Amino acid sequence: MPPSSSSSSSSNCCFLQPQLPDECWESIFKHLSDPHDHESLSLVSRRFLSLSNRIPTHLTISYHLLPLLPALLRRFTNLTSIRLTRYFTGDINALLSQIASFDLPSLHSLDISHQYTFPSHGLRQFSLKFPTLKSLNCSHTKLGLVLIAECFPNLEEINVTYPITRVFPDRDLHEKALASGLKKLRKVDLSGTYILQDSSLFTLCQNCVSLEALLISDIGASAIANAIRQGPQLRSLAVRGGIVTLELIDTLVTLKCLTCLDLCYARISDETLCVLADRGLPLRELSLRYCSGYQFSGISCLLRNCNNLQYLGLERTRFLNDQRVIELSLLLGNLNAVNLSENAKLTDLSLFAIMRNCPLITKIRMENTGVGKQKLEHDCLVLNSHLKFLYLARNKRLDDGSVTTLASFCPNLEMMDLSDCGRVSKGAIEVLRRCCKIQCMDLARLGYELDQFRVNFEVPTLFVLNLPMLSISDEELSLISKSCYNLKELKLNYCDKITASGVKQVVKNCKQLRMISLLGCENVSSDIVTWMVFARPSLRMLS
């Protein structure tokens, strides 16, 4: 007896959606490469729609999103964080009051940074619904610590960096609110606030017994030392500017949990680095970006005693050259990421020394250096299969030969930045050809001698491609769209040779396209916008 149609339909449905528990499906959804793919899954069935509604946890609100906001807040009830776009043009007080009218039990983070006004009324309404807010970012806006402490006494993270006014007639009230009213703080970023006095920092560290991360600037070393003695549980300390004294170092070595130290724009001597090295801090991350006063002997002494360092930042370090980087790289066997940007004396020798001597390295930044100056024989090079992210922007000596060599010895690259590398042209194509896992390439203002950018082979892994100010034609753009058919983001700003014809080929062939930027493309008429929206429903951003 043949099965009934209903039985067949049920069988097909079971085949499409195996009867896995919801928790398994949620785990599968979360591992998708692009969260926007949840939209397609939500169309499969009501069950998938319900499950996909649980996944989004972050929401960025722009002025253009306001008409859809009620529907979004009703749909995505598992949101944990909400962020406003910079310099939001709507009524922020009304917006926060509106959000407070919805049931969002998991919401614990709010970002209202870079705003012209401080939404006092909206925050009061917001706090009535979300009194247990854990994280608040109000950097680059007016300062309202008194109201914040009153409304959100349970805050664990706060960012009040660089307020838009430096005049504080009620300074004492701000200091009291920060130091005594927010006792549950774990992470505090006060860079550029200009309000803290030495006594306030001391009280902050004394009262916030759970404080783990502190970012400060414009405070004397002695005051910092006195303060952090009150917080022996500190894991991360960032100090911008000033002089790093032996007193401060002696205090740092008492912090047995300190794993991250960032001394930006500070002046530090070899003696202080050696003292820090001798005490054996368990550092995992160290940044001395734009620091002065120390030499090679000091940093090498420190690195010999930091065997487990995973991140190192040495931007704009005057004494660094290739030989010294080679010596340092031998001390960094556990390094995962390094930033050596703004060091003009460093060439390909430094880059390949890091790749050879740091087998776990996944990210290298060497922007605005001398990479490309020193050509290396292939026999001297070693394959690095771990390196995924390589940032080489603004290297004026980098050329096609050097980039092709890199592509050959870094086959698993996922992201490469070659923006403002004026001598690179066809080498970028070799990266696409040889790096089979490449997902993102930034080629802005590439090769002033670039005559053709022909990608005549498949690059199915490429999702993001930035081509601003390139002299590419419609024919080349069409070829890119056929070869890189999984593109989700494409920037073509000021590509003045392309026309509507080339853009239509992109929209037609790239079926997952989410964002396309055509700013300054004078030969692309604005009339094409409506056609693009209807022709490619996946589009979410046009500019």
Side-chain angles (χ1 to χ4, degrees):
M1 184 176 184
S4 64
S5 59
S6 60
S7 175
S8 176
S9 175
S10 176
S11 176
N12 289 338
C13 182
C14 290
F15 175 77
L16 290 172
Q17 300 180 48
Q19 297 303 307
L20 297 176
D22 287 354
E23 293 78 7
C24 292
W25 280 119
E26 284 189 41
S27 180
I28 293 171
F29 289 1
K30 288 178 180 178
H31 281 82
L32 292 174
S33 59
D34 189 337
H36 287 106
D37 291 333
H38 298 153
E39 297 175 14
S40 301
L41 288 170
S42 66
L43 299 175
V44 173
S45 67
R46 290 184 178 179
R47 184 187 183 199
F48 275 20
L49 172 62
S50 176
L51 289 172
S52 64
N53 288 346
R54 303 179 193 175
I55 305 302
T57 57
H58 307 282
L59 179 64
T60 298
I61 302 175
S62 65
Y63 178 77
H64 303 289
L65 191 67
L66 289 181
L68 301 174
L69 187 59
L72 292 174
L73 295 178
R74 280 192 294 268
R75 179 179 176 185
F76 302 121
T77 57
N78 282 349
L79 290 176
T80 60
S81 67
I82 289 178
R83 180 178 73 88
L84 273 62
T85 54
R86 289 188 174 194
Y87 307 115
F88 183 81
T89 55
D91 185 338
I92 303 179
N93 284 296
L95 173 62
L96 293 177
S97 298
Q98 181 182 24
I99 295 172
S101 67
F102 288 86
D103 187 19
L104 302 170
S106 301
L107 187 64
H108 60 73
S109 177
L110 177 65
D111 185 341
I112 55 171
S113 61
H114 295 87
Q115 306 299 332
Y116 294 115
T117 60
F118 186 78
S120 301
H121 175 73
L123 284 175
R124 289 186 185 279
Q125 296 299 311
F126 193 88
S127 68
L128 295 177
K129 185 64 175 287
F130 307 106
T132 59
L133 194 74
K134 303 298 183 184
S135 176
L136 179 63
N137 185 346
C138 38
S139 67
H140 295 84
T141 186
K142 291 183 178 180
L143 202 59
L145 285 174
V146 177
L147 181 120
I148 290 172
E150 177 186 338
C151 292
F152 305 107
N154 295 305
L155 279 180
E156 296 180 3
E157 297 184 13
I158 188 170
N159 183 338
V160 289
T161 58
Y162 299 99
I164 60 178
T165 178
R166 297 184 180 183
V167 179
F168 302 100
D170 51 353
R171 178 191 294 268
D172 292 340
L173 292 177
H174 282 293
E175 290 181 353
K176 182 178 180 180
L178 179 63
S180 305
L182 298 168
K183 296 186 177 183
K184 295 185 179 182
L185 288 174
R186 294 179 178 273
K187 181 178 180 180
V188 181
D189 192 344
L190 299 169
S191 303
T193 55
Y194 305 99
I195 65 162
L196 274 185
Q197 297 179 350
D198 298 353
S199 58
S200 301
L201 182 61
F202 182 91
T203 307
L204 173 68
C205 292
Q206 185 180 54
N207 289 350
C208 299
V209 295
S210 300
L211 193 64
E212 296 179 353
L214 181 62
L215 296 85
I216 51 179
S217 63
D218 304 294
I219 298 290
S222 180
I224 297 173
N226 290 333
I228 62 178
R229 289 192 190 102
Q230 311 305 311
Q233 70 286 343
L234 273 179
R235 298 177 181 273
S236 176
L237 176 66
V239 179
R240 186 182 179 92
I243 300 175
V244 179
T245 63
L246 284 174
E247 180 189 8
L248 177 56
I249 293 298
D250 286 338
T251 305
L252 289 180
V253 297
T254 65
L255 304 177
K256 300 305 180 183
C257 297
L258 191 69
T259 59
C260 177
L261 181 61
D262 183 350
L263 301 175
C264 177
Y265 288 103
R267 184 169 181 81
I268 185 169
S269 68
D270 287 336
E271 181 184 6
T272 55
L273 289 178
C274 289
V275 170
L276 185 60
D278 291 340
R279 303 302 176 85
L281 272 178
L283 290 179
R284 296 290 184 271
E285 300 179 22
L286 173 65
S287 177
L288 300 178
R289 53 197 173 116
Y290 310 120
C291 286
S292 61
Y294 72 103
Q295 298 297 322
F296 178 70
S297 58
I299 187 62
S300 59
C301 176
L302 179 58
L303 295 185
R304 275 195 295 271
N305 289 272
C306 294
N307 300 321
N308 294 316
L309 206 64
Q310 296 174 2
Y311 172 80
L312 177 63
L314 294 176
E315 299 100 302
R316 196 179 295 170
T317 307
R318 295 179 181 178
F319 59 81
L320 274 187
N321 57 30
D322 286 333
Q323 183 56 42
R324 286 170 171 171
V325 169
I326 292 171
E327 293 180 37
L328 294 180
S329 68
L330 296 171
L331 307 173
L332 300 168
N334 292 310
L335 201 66
N336 298 140
V338 66
N339 193 334
L340 299 174
S341 300
E342 311 294 336
N343 286 293
K345 298 177 183 178
L346 305 188
T347 72
D348 311 60
L349 287 170
S350 295
L351 175 57
F352 280 99
I354 295 289
M355 290 169 52
R356 179 178 61 252
N357 297 328
C358 305
L360 302 180
I361 197 76
T362 60
K363 179 189 291 186
I364 298 177
R365 299 193 83 111
M366 288 186 67
E367 299 168 292
N368 196 23
T369 63
V371 172
K373 180 179 179 179
Q374 183 71 52
K375 307 302 179 187
L376 304 179
E377 297 294 333
H378 280 213
D379 294 342
C380 303
L381 307 179
V382 176
L383 189 75
N384 188 306
S385 58
H386 283 88
L387 190 61
K388 295 181 179 181
F389 309 97
L390 187 54
Y391 299 83
L392 299 175
R394 294 176 286 122
N395 278 292
K396 306 304 181 184
R397 296 178 179 268
L398 194 62
D399 59 17
D400 287 335
S402 299
V403 172
T404 301
T405 299
L406 281 168
S408 300
F409 286 88
C410 307
N412 292 326
L413 276 182
E414 295 180 6
M415 192 281 170
M416 192 171 194
D417 184 354
L418 295 172
S419 58
D420 292 293
C421 293
R423 297 186 180 183
V424 177
S425 56
K426 295 181 180 178
I429 298 176
E430 290 304 311
V431 175
L432 295 172
R433 188 193 308 275
R434 302 182 186 212
C435 300
C436 60
K437 296 183 180 180
I438 195 73
Q439 296 181 19
C440 175
M441 283 199 74
D442 192 340
L443 306 177
R445 297 167 295 280
L446 190 71
Y448 47 77
E449 295 182 352
L450 179 64
D451 53 353
Q452 284 189 325
F453 194 81
R454 299 183 63 83
V455 186
N456 53 9
F457 50 89
E458 288 193 2
V459 193
T461 60
L462 192 67
F463 298 143
V464 179
L465 183 59
N466 295 338
L467 302 173
M469 300 183 72
L470 259 64
S471 182
I472 58 174
S473 65
D474 283 343
E475 180 185 357
E476 292 164 310
L477 187 58
S478 176
L479 199 57
I480 290 172
S481 71
K482 293 175 182 177
S483 303
C484 310
Y485 45 82
N486 284 325
L487 277 178
K488 297 180 180 180
E489 297 184 16
L490 178 62
K491 291 186 178 180
L492 299 168
N493 301 349
Y494 299 99
C495 293
D496 52 15
K497 284 188 177 181
I498 65 171
T499 69
S501 176
V503 174
K504 284 185 176 182
Q505 288 299 308
V506 171
V507 174
K508 175 183 177 182
N509 295 324
C510 300
K511 301 186 184 327
Q512 301 185 59
L513 195 65
R514 310 287 187 186
M515 186 276 282
I516 185 168
S517 182
L518 301 169
L519 182 67
C521 296
E522 296 180 355
N523 292 317
V524 179
S525 171
S526 58
D527 296 340
I528 195 177
V529 172
T530 302
W531 177 87
M532 285 194 293
V533 171
F534 284 99
R536 182 56 56 218
S538 62
L539 273 174
R540 291 294 178 269
M541 184 180 296
L542 294 169
S543 63

